[in-house]
Amino acid sequence: MERPPIIMTNTLLFALSGLTALIAVPWYGMTHGYDLWQWGSFLLLFCYCGISITAGYHRLWSHKAYKAHPILQWIFAIGGALALQNSALHWSSDHRRHHRHVDDNQKDPYSAGRGFWFSHIGWMLREYQRDIYHDYSNVRDLQNNPVVAFQHKHYLALTLATNIGIPLLLGLVHGDLLGMLLLAGVLRMVMTHHTTFFINSLAHIWGSQPFTDRNSARDNGILAFFTFGEGYHNFHHLFENDYRNGIRWWQFDPTKWLIRSAAWCGLARDLRACPEERIEQARLEMQLKRAQARLHRQDDRELWQALLQEEYDKLSQQLQHYYASRKRLLEQRKRKALARYDQLKLQLEYRSLHDAFTVAKRNWSRLLAGIA
């Protein structure tokens, strides 16, 4: 089978920038040195690029997980051009296609099923999907967005202005033009590229699957640290329209924190979050599935199977009752419509269901420990 033609622009960009980052950046550092101003500029621009991709390209435009003020959209559009990962329109089109056909080696633009190299960078080096490269039928909503449309139309000019102009200006102010171009220009661009690409590659082969195993996506806290929270990829592929990736308070997701802060400031609204009961139900279903897979090690397999199913049904029922009660309580507190007696009654019901849910979870955990 004939291989698709090489995309020379992409190939040269990745090859030359990669070689410069590997050879010229350390050489200049050893012969001339970099100071804190240069490293600070590198870190600032790296964070700006990364956040523009995660909060802008990904969660705002690809998944419509929230709505953003035009000021915030322009900030992300410029940062996206600086990140040099194609326009927001094109990026979102590819990403929506990836979610719709995840792991399909023919339809997923960067399917992990075709190997690490392909999903990381190989898919951008050849015209694998030349027939639909400019098919933006799945992002018609974004074509009507004036910020996205402007960035797409003037993407090349914005890319040149940001990737050359910003490091050049910083270098002139600092007094070391070449050092700034190497560190805040080339190295920053290469690091931005590959940390983003790791979500397409590593996040589909390395990590855990606490929510679903119907696709290859994994949760990985290490990747989350370098990708501004995108490493919780197993959760994201099941609940793709949630503005969060890390749902626990301790999970590193600065993109989530930024979006929430923007909402407090009036720059974001309509933040979408999946109901907690759906998340817990998905986690519970995965625990059941894994426990059933381990039952072949037990002598009394049928007995364990019946016990496992019984406890699962109990916990699942308690989960639904508990979250329904909590929802009713929260709604009434917002409305402040109930009499004192009815409020107390609702609180007692909630506490009772909370205690029952806690007991059911404890029994479930003990049963899973006995099967392990």
Side-chain angles (χ1 to χ4, degrees):
M1 183 176 178
E2 184 181 354
R3 302 185 71 182
I6 292 175
I7 303 175
M8 291 304 301
T9 303
N10 291 358
T11 302
L12 288 173
L13 172 67
F14 292 135
L16 294 177
S17 62
L19 287 173
T20 302
L22 286 172
I23 299 173
V25 171
W27 167 79
Y28 193 86
M30 289 185 291
T31 56
H32 295 79
Y34 301 111
D35 59 23
L36 288 177
W37 171 265
Q38 291 167 313
W39 281 112
S41 299
F42 160 80
L43 183 61
L44 181 64
L45 292 182
F46 172 75
C47 291
Y48 179 36
C49 289
I51 286 291
S52 295
I53 295 296
T54 60
Y57 276 36
H58 189 204
R59 303 189 199 185
L60 173 62
W61 289 315
S62 294
H63 294 294
K64 299 190 288 187
Y66 67 104
K67 295 178 181 177
H69 191 280
I71 292 175
L72 198 58
Q73 292 191 51
W74 279 113
I75 292 173
F76 292 152
I78 295 170
L82 178 63
L84 200 62
Q85 294 182 28
N86 221 317
S87 70
L89 185 74
H90 191 98
W91 198 102
S92 298
S93 178
D94 279 343
H95 193 71
R96 289 182 183 180
R97 198 171 291 119
H98 164 65
H99 270 265
R100 185 174 182 179
H101 305 290
V102 60
D103 297 331
D104 184 323
N105 289 350
Q106 300 303 317
K107 297 180 180 180
D108 182 349
Y110 32 89
S111 172
R114 299 184 66 172
F116 174 85
W117 172 257
F118 178 86
S119 60
H120 187 75
I121 197 172
W123 68 281
M124 293 177 284
L125 302 182
R126 291 181 179 273
E127 296 179 8
Y128 288 102
Q129 296 194 339
R130 71 181 82 178
D131 296 336
I132 58 173
Y133 188 80
H134 294 294
D135 178 9
Y136 299 132
S137 58
N138 63 343
V139 286
R140 288 195 178 98
D141 56 309
L142 298 182
Q143 289 178 308
N144 295 323
N145 182 309
V147 177
V148 174
F150 180 89
Q151 193 229 33
H152 182 72
K153 182 178 180 180
H154 303 284
Y155 178 71
L156 179 59
L158 289 171
T159 294
L160 294 174
T162 52
N163 281 277
I164 297 176
I166 294 177
L168 189 65
L169 180 62
L170 290 172
L172 290 172
V173 172
H174 175 260
D176 184 354
L177 186 60
L178 181 56
M180 190 65 77
L181 286 171
L182 287 173
L183 206 61
V186 178
L187 183 63
R188 180 269 315 159
M189 180 178 66
V190 171
M191 290 292 291
T192 299
H193 280 165
H194 289 284
T195 50
T196 301
F197 300 166
F198 276 145
I199 299 303
N200 300 337
S201 55
L202 273 182
H204 280 265
I205 60 175
W206 178 32
S208 61
Q209 293 183 301
F211 300 102
T212 182
D213 61 356
R214 294 193 292 271
N215 58 68
S216 61
R218 262 65 172 175
D219 276 5
N220 189 305
I222 297 175
L223 288 180
F225 181 78
F226 292 102
T227 57
F228 304 93
E230 298 290 275
Y232 302 106
H233 208 50
N234 186 251
F235 172 86
H236 172 64
H237 262 273
L238 188 59
F239 306 108
E240 63 183 66
N241 299 123
D242 199 308
Y243 81 96
R244 309 161 299 172
N245 273 15
I247 56 173
R248 303 302 184 195
W249 67 267
W250 47 266
Q251 290 178 320
F252 186 77
D253 188 358
T255 303
K256 169 189 67 179
W257 303 330
L258 174 69
I259 295 170
R260 190 177 295 165
S261 299
W264 291 338
C265 298
L267 293 175
R269 58 186 174 87
D270 298 342
L271 277 58
R272 300 170 68 181
C274 183
E276 193 172 346
E277 59 268 28
R278 282 186 55 199
I279 297 171
E280 291 304 315
Q281 187 67 49
R283 194 195 306 272
L284 179 59
E285 289 174 4
M286 278 300 298
Q287 291 174 346
L288 174 65
K289 188 172 184 178
R290 291 199 171 101
Q292 289 175 331
R294 295 196 299 267
L295 282 177
H296 69 277
R297 305 174 187 173
Q298 305 295 335
D299 295 332
D300 301 322
R301 182 177 178 181
E302 292 184 1
L303 178 62
W304 279 99
Q305 175 67 43
L307 185 59
L308 186 67
Q309 189 64 49
E310 180 183 357
E311 289 299 325
Y312 170 81
D313 291 339
K314 286 181 182 178
L315 180 55
S316 183
Q317 187 179 46
Q318 290 294 340
L319 184 150
Q320 296 301 324
H321 291 332
Y322 165 68
Y323 280 106
S325 176
R326 191 175 78 163
K327 183 179 180 180
R328 287 195 300 271
L329 181 61
L330 292 174
E331 287 177 350
Q332 292 302 334
R333 283 178 176 174
K334 288 180 180 179
R335 292 168 56 189
K336 298 179 181 179
L338 287 182
R340 177 76 175 173
Y341 172 78
D342 293 327
Q343 288 181 5
L344 181 60
K345 185 179 178 180
L346 199 59
Q347 288 174 358
L348 289 174
E349 175 192 324
Y350 167 75
R351 289 174 185 173
S352 176
L353 289 171
H354 176 271
D355 292 342
F357 182 45
T358 301
V359 171
K361 286 196 296 183
R362 188 182 301 120
N363 292 338
W364 176 251
S365 297
R366 288 172 179 170
L367 181 58
L368 292 180
I371 296 175

